Amino acid sequence: MTDTATTDEVTRLRDAGLAALRAAGDLDELDAARSAHLGKKSALAQVQRTLGQLDDDQRRELGRAINAAREELAEAEAARRVELEAERDRHQLAAEAVDVTLPPRVPRQGRLHPVQETMEAMLDVLIGLGYRVAEGPEVETDWHNFDALNTPPDHPARSLQDTIYVHPIDGQAQVGEDGSTGILLRTQTSPVQIRTMLAQDPPLYVAMPGRVFRADTTDATHLPMFHQIEGLAVDRDLSFADLKGSLVVAARALLGEDVRLRFRPHFFPFTEPSCELDAWYGGKWMELLGAGMVHPNVLTAGGLDPDAYRGFAWGMGVDRLAMLRHDIGDLRLFVENDLRFLESL
Ligand code: DAH
């Protein structure tokens, strides 16, 4: 082995290394080129390991050549690294760039269902009159839904034809702690009156909104599920005049100050006397709600002394009122989920 041949070889290895380092297209390729040309297993390192076998002069000369080659390669690697890192950062910034001139994606604005909206409008009026809002379960005992509301077991409303039972009465029914013989989907919001009276002491001024269920055949004015708002006032000396005054104020707030109203005698098991309230609308009288003075038996079932307290109550159908407010002829439109209809209101 001659000196010249060996330093030539170092020069050749250096040039090959420089070419590889400069050609690296990304940082991974650069790392690979560095370990191939500068690493422990590189040809240059192998040549370096032979230095010990040379005499002093040769070793000095070749050693210098190797060191110079290593330095050049390290410099070339560092220079290429700076370039490749800058390139990587440029790409990353470009990929993460946000175009602030793009138009924003505006989420579709929803709104309350017209029935819900009517419900809230009515509740707003009642809250303004000093009522608070209470809710009860949709799955109810027959005791809360009927017995406690002075509606005896043989009442036609309790038949399977009118009421949707969860546990139908089959003669085997368990009698619950409260005297219930069955579980049903509440047919009215009136059972929440009982729950409210049992839970709180008068004075009570409570509005009770919610869904109710009846085994009705669906048509333009009937759905098996609809909405009611129940009102209950219990205090020391309430009279029928308070009932009339409250309902006239509420109806006017909802339907307009000049709405024509009429009270008509009626019968409900849970009130005595009872009445219905009609509004003149679209050229005819529309029934708005049923109402009356709370029956003493109902106060008793609610745990209150009928000699100490008197109350009035009413129950109104919300869906029909929403029909009136939006001038809609068919209740079924409310539950068909056709956005073209709902958005047109
Ligand atoms: N619960 C009755 C119904 O569904 C409506 C009603 C009438 C409620 C008179 C009352 C009331 O509180 O006093 O038809």
Side-chain angles (χ1 to χ4, degrees):
M1 195 194 298
T2 69
D3 298 351
T4 34
T6 317
T7 47
D8 279 353
E9 197 182 346
V10 170
T11 305
R12 197 177 53 71
L13 292 175
R14 179 202 66 189
D15 290 347
L18 287 174
L21 290 166
R22 285 175 187 146
D26 59 32
L27 290 164
D28 286 342
E29 282 179 30
L30 185 66
D31 287 339
R34 186 198 43 195
S35 86
H37 296 277
L38 273 168
K40 281 186 197 136
K41 289 179 183 159
S42 65
L44 201 58
Q46 274 163 31
V47 173
Q48 196 163 14
R49 258 175 250 126
T50 66
L51 284 178
Q53 301 157 14
L54 303 176
D55 63 38
D56 283 358
D57 285 350
Q58 283 176 317
R59 189 166 61 234
R60 207 173 297 120
E61 187 181 356
L62 192 58
R64 225 181 276 133
I66 291 172
N67 283 340
R70 283 193 159 285
E71 234 164 81
E72 266 189 82
L73 288 167
E75 265 168 37
E77 189 226 328
R80 187 65 187 141
R81 187 168 296 279
V82 169
E83 285 170 10
L84 290 173
E85 278 175 355
E87 200 167 310
R88 177 201 58 193
D89 293 348
R90 253 196 323 277
H91 277 120
Q92 197 162 336
L93 282 177
E96 289 170 3
V98 173
D99 183 350
V100 293
T101 67
L102 282 176
R105 265 174 251 174
V106 182
R108 255 169 86 115
Q109 175 87 57
R111 47 166 281 192
L112 286 179
H113 188 280
V115 172
Q116 212 61 37
E117 195 179 59
T118 302
M119 186 108 94
E120 304 224 337
M122 182 65 186
L123 290 175
D124 276 350
V125 170
L126 293 169
I127 288 165
L129 289 175
Y131 284 67
R132 58 181 189 80
V133 177
E135 288 179 301
E138 292 172 356
V139 179
E140 222 356 322
T141 69
D142 60 358
W143 184 81
H144 286 90
N145 195 79
F146 291 127
D147 302 83
L149 291 163
N150 201 34
T151 309
D154 57 0
H155 193 279
R158 299 182 68 149
S159 85
L160 282 170
Q161 260 166 2
D162 292 320
T163 298
I164 299 167
Y165 284 89
V166 176
H167 298 306
I169 297 168
D170 56 7
Q172 307 283 318
Q174 197 84 37
V175 176
E177 255 175 69
D178 56 14
S180 64
T181 56
I183 306 290
L184 44 76
L185 299 187
R186 66 181 180 192
T187 61
Q188 49 191 358
T189 42
S190 307
V192 192
Q193 288 188 32
I194 302 298
R195 292 184 175 274
T196 301
M197 287 189 276
L198 288 173
Q200 269 135 28
D201 291 329
L204 297 173
Y205 293 88
V206 192
M208 295 152 280
R211 280 191 280 211
V212 301
F213 307 84
R214 289 188 197 172
D216 268 331
T217 308
T218 301
D219 65 26
T221 53
H222 294 88
L223 291 176
M225 185 280 289
F226 53 102
H227 301 78
Q228 290 187 338
I229 299 178
E230 192 84 11
L232 174 68
V234 180
D235 214 331
R236 290 275 170 204
D237 37 31
L238 290 175
S239 73
F240 204 87
D242 297 305
L243 179 161
K244 286 182 78 173
S246 308
L247 288 178
V248 166
V249 167
R252 283 185 183 153
L254 213 59
L255 298 172
E257 281 304 313
D258 47 3
V259 66
R260 269 176 79 194
L261 300 168
R262 90 176 168 192
F263 286 88
R264 222 170 1 87
H266 201 76
F267 172 80
F268 293 104
F270 25 88
T271 44
E272 181 61 32
S274 307
C275 64
E276 285 192 325
L277 173 61
D278 299 336
W280 184 259
Y281 199 92
K284 56 178 193 270
W285 287 107
M286 289 284 313
E287 176 198 320
L288 280 185
L289 52 80
M293 300 305 291
V294 179
H295 194 288
N297 290 351
V298 174
L299 290 171
T300 304
L304 301 179
D305 177 359
D307 293 324
Y309 293 108
R310 278 209 270 172
F312 64 82
W314 79 92
M316 68 185 294
V318 183
D319 306 69
R320 296 222 182 132
L321 190 63
M323 278 173 92
L324 285 187
R325 272 159 57 98
H326 294 286
D327 200 16
I328 290 155
D330 195 327
L331 207 48
R332 288 169 291 195
L333 288 166
F334 282 144
V335 292
E336 278 168 359
N337 269 345
D338 186 337
L339 285 180
R340 289 168 304 177
F341 163 74
L342 293 170
E343 281 168 355
S344 74
L345 296 180

